Amino acid sequence: MNNTTNQLSIVKCQMSTVCAISTPKGVGGISVIRVSGKEAFLVCDRIFKGNKKIAETAGYTCVYGAIFDDEMLVDDCIATVFRSPKSYTGEDTVEISCHGSIAVTQKILRLLLKKGAILAKAGEFTRRAFENGKLSLLEAETVAEIISAENENELRIANSLRSGATYSKIITLKDKILDICAELAVWADYPDDNDFGNDYSENLVSVIEKIANELDNLLKTYDYGRQVKNGIKTVIIGKPNVGKSSLMNALIGYERSIVTEIAGTTRDIVEEKINLGPVTLNLSDTAGIRQTYDKIEKIGVELSRNAIDHAELILAVFDISKFLTDEDFVILDSLKNKKVIYVLNKSDLKNISKEVIKQVKKQIGETSDIINISAKNGEISALCEKITKMFETSKISIEGGIIANERQKEALSRALCSLIEAKSSLQNGFTLDIVSVLLDESCDFLLELIGEKITDEVADRVFQKFCVGK
Ligand code: GDP
């Protein structure tokens, strides 16, 4: 955790006492309303009556009582008291647990507003925690990741962030760059006392290269994180009637696309996220690619072509019970330089001729990426294993840190760019002060990444993504 109080406008956040409903809107067993700020205890005591005043309650303890609107009882509740700095935000905080009813929570919120609190903005509690030095920006972003985690892998990523591994890694690399800057500064001050000949320059290049490699490895975790979160963009393609929708349904495990015997029924793209063991696919079933005069189907075919361009994995489906046609050849042509699994469907049919298999293998070429399946009978385990193996091998260790979102990726890419530029400046014989400026720049981007050198605008962007009450 970053214990230093952040440089951002701390005064601004200390002024007001804010409140919000922290549990999801709706009916539930209980709801929690959070109040944070200098006057949190005072404001709550104006509407709360219990066996003790909140202002007189010790931190980390609860007090039972009820909320009143003047003399009218609103609800009985438990108030949990946190005293500054030992609270999530670092400020005096009260969490009112009441019955989980929309009417009750709204009423309590309105009373708090009437008695001196103001409504918290999205992510304001976490922002205050950040501004009061309770959380680093990376940890604050972790909170958002944990809230939005939908599966175990996503939680693994969020917890990797929480462990502080990314933060420590960035600090270590930044310090290494600063060490080089310090040496260069000595050179600037006493150029005659130091021997900065070729050896020194080569040594420096190799040190910078090592740091750049480490930054690059960290950058690669971004794709892994994105693939876990959003799934590997996978597109099922093939001419009409080869069994794309049947394959999609077999993969999902239930009927999602319309399966018919009339060619061209899937007219738009059907999308679904599925987990194959540790691998998550973001699967789209596309309209078959073929020449068509039907206006709507034409749009579908266009969308399919687009989907191929952006796919990370293509499942190209062929009907093994028939000879390939020109339409299949067009598809095969469009797959060059793509990650493809050639799926030979309908292998359950009895009359598959050796000639067809020969023709198919001749067209596709010698590759281990050909899999026989029967989508209709749900015989797709060979395909699932293939996909899992393909992406498991590229699974990256995230225990040493992970880049979790676009903002972090952007800052890291820039840091890496400046570092590489510093290296080539050195190799091209530029003066060491130019190298030094580029290294400084790289450090600044790393500091931006971990949130220790950011503008209010960047912080605004980070916290806007949170929900109200967090
Ligand atoms: P799409 O147009 O490529 O999406 O194809 P569909 O999934 O709609 O299937 C077209 C036809 O082929 C349907 O009658 C399916 O029942 C049939 N079909 C799909 N997969 C198989 C399979 O593995 N074996 C057999 N025998 N028929 C299949």
Side-chain angles (χ1 to χ4, degrees):
M1 203 220 288
N2 167 28
N3 281 322
T4 56
T5 302
N6 197 281
Q7 297 303 306
L8 285 169
S9 25
I10 297 157
V11 186
K12 185 174 63 185
C13 79
Q14 300 283 12
M15 290 190 304
S16 52
T17 293
V18 287
C19 63
I21 302 168
S22 283
T23 38
K25 196 174 176 184
V27 178
I30 57 165
S31 283
V32 174
I33 297 143
R34 214 187 227 166
V35 189
S36 179
K38 244 188 178 159
E39 299 198 327
F41 300 158
L42 190 73
V43 170
C44 288
D45 273 330
R46 286 177 184 148
I47 62 166
F48 176 85
K49 283 186 190 136
N51 43 12
K52 210 194 245 180
K53 279 195 161 199
I54 288 173
E56 288 159 8
T57 305
Y60 292 151
T61 57
C62 301
V63 49
Y64 173 73
I67 299 290
F68 285 86
D69 179 5
D70 291 329
E71 293 308 310
M72 196 184 87
L73 173 71
V74 176
D75 193 15
D76 48 355
C77 67
I78 302 271
T80 312
V81 177
F82 302 86
R83 288 189 171 267
S84 172
K86 294 181 177 174
S87 70
Y88 179 67
T89 55
E91 304 167 332
D92 284 346
T93 302
V94 182
E95 286 181 2
I96 301 169
S97 307
C98 59
H99 287 101
S101 123
I102 295 176
V104 169
T105 48
Q106 295 285 352
K107 177 78 186 173
I108 296 176
L109 192 69
R110 276 202 302 275
L111 286 173
L112 288 166
L113 295 174
K114 206 165 117 188
K115 299 294 179 182
I118 61 167
L119 200 60
K121 292 195 209 104
E124 182 151 3
F125 294 102
T126 309
R127 181 164 190 159
R128 286 178 178 220
F130 164 64
E131 292 182 354
N132 288 326
K134 301 288 288 183
L135 288 174
S136 72
L137 194 69
L138 286 183
E139 284 170 314
E141 284 172 319
T142 309
V143 175
E145 297 292 329
I146 290 175
I147 294 172
S148 66
E150 286 177 5
N151 63 38
E152 263 182 52
N153 281 332
E154 288 178 32
L155 203 54
R156 194 174 144 238
I157 290 179
N159 283 332
S160 162
L161 274 174
R162 187 156 60 172
S163 75
T166 313
Y167 185 85
S168 315
K169 178 126 209 184
I170 296 294
I171 291 286
T172 310
L173 294 174
K174 180 213 67 172
D175 286 346
K176 281 185 187 172
I177 301 174
L178 280 182
D179 283 347
I180 306 174
C181 289
E183 278 188 49
L184 295 183
V186 172
W187 169 82
D189 288 344
Y190 309 102
D192 300 334
D193 294 351
N194 292 284
D195 174 19
F196 285 94
N198 275 348
D199 281 356
Y200 179 78
S201 182
E202 270 169 31
N203 183 36
L204 212 54
V205 165
S206 107
V207 174
I208 294 177
E209 241 166 25
K210 272 189 199 136
I211 302 171
N213 279 343
E214 289 201 53
L215 289 183
D216 195 37
N217 284 338
L218 196 57
L219 200 56
K220 282 182 188 141
T221 63
Y222 174 73
D223 277 340
Y224 170 70
R226 201 176 44 80
Q227 284 184 351
V228 167
K229 233 176 148 35
N230 306 330
I232 296 155
K233 272 188 223 149
T234 307
V235 173
I236 304 177
I237 61 154
K239 71 180 179 193
N241 250 4
V242 290
K244 296 181 298 298
S245 304
S246 305
L247 173 59
M248 176 94 170
N249 292 338
L251 282 167
I252 296 166
Y254 67 93
E255 297 242 322
R256 174 80 157 75
S257 319
I258 322 145
V259 178
T260 68
E261 286 177 23
I262 310 152
T265 42
T266 311
R267 292 174 173 215
D268 55 6
I269 295 182
V270 183
E271 278 193 349
E272 195 78 36
K273 217 162 137 182
I274 62 160
N275 290 319
L276 295 181
V279 176
T280 305
L281 299 186
N282 186 343
L283 202 59
S284 7
D285 177 14
T286 63
I289 293 182
R290 63 170 192 171
Q291 281 292 356
T292 176
Y293 299 102
D294 177 316
K295 242 188 185 172
I296 298 170
E297 203 189 332
K298 220 172 192 170
I299 296 168
V301 172
E302 252 334 284
L303 282 173
S304 310
R305 292 223 160 91
N306 215 351
I308 293 177
D309 286 342
H310 295 98
E312 289 163 300
L313 171 67
I314 294 166
L315 304 179
V317 185
F318 302 92
D319 181 345
I320 192 69
S321 68
K322 295 179 184 140
F323 280 103
L324 297 184
T325 64
D326 286 348
E327 285 172 306
D328 293 306
F329 297 143
V330 170
I331 289 167
L332 281 167
D333 254 4
S334 68
L335 299 178
K336 285 182 186 128
N337 304 322
K338 302 271 172 202
K339 201 163 199 165
V340 185
I341 299 180
Y342 301 92
V343 181
L344 309 186
N345 190 31
K346 309 199 186 181
S347 58
D348 57 287
L349 290 175
K350 300 276 177 284
N351 56 344
I352 296 172
S353 87
K354 282 192 178 134
E355 289 309 307
V356 173
I357 296 178
K358 242 191 198 166
Q359 183 221 16
V360 168
K361 297 226 160 149
K362 191 174 160 217
Q363 284 304 324
I364 294 174
E366 271 315 310
T367 163
S368 61
D369 299 332
I370 301 179
I371 300 285
N372 286 298
I373 64 156
S374 166
K376 193 177 175 181
N377 296 347
E379 290 158 19
I380 56 165
S381 52
L383 176 64
C384 295
E385 274 166 35
K386 178 89 202 163
I387 297 172
T388 315
K389 268 204 193 117
M390 228 175 196
F391 287 91
E392 235 186 357
T393 49
S394 63
K395 196 168 136 183
I396 285 172
S397 154
I398 57 166
E399 276 61 44
I402 187 162
I403 292 304
N405 59 33
E406 189 68 30
R407 183 198 72 78
Q408 296 171 11
K409 184 197 144 203
E410 191 63 29
L412 186 59
S413 306
R414 287 186 179 179
L416 182 59
C417 252
S418 303
L419 205 59
I420 289 170
E421 238 183 283
K423 189 188 92 174
S424 49
S425 302
L426 207 57
Q427 285 169 321
N428 293 328
F430 284 92
T431 58
L432 290 185
D433 46 351
I434 291 183
V435 179
S436 189
V437 167
L438 288 163
L439 291 175
D440 268 344
E441 205 174 83
S442 181
C443 277
D444 280 352
F445 287 127
L446 291 181
L447 288 173
E448 185 184 311
L449 198 170
I450 54 176
E452 290 190 3
K453 209 169 192 179
I454 56 163
T455 58
D456 270 352
E457 201 189 342
V458 173
D460 283 347
R461 257 190 285 139
V462 169
F463 291 102
Q464 265 160 15
K465 290 185 193 135
F466 280 72
C467 43
V468 173
K470 192 60 227 175

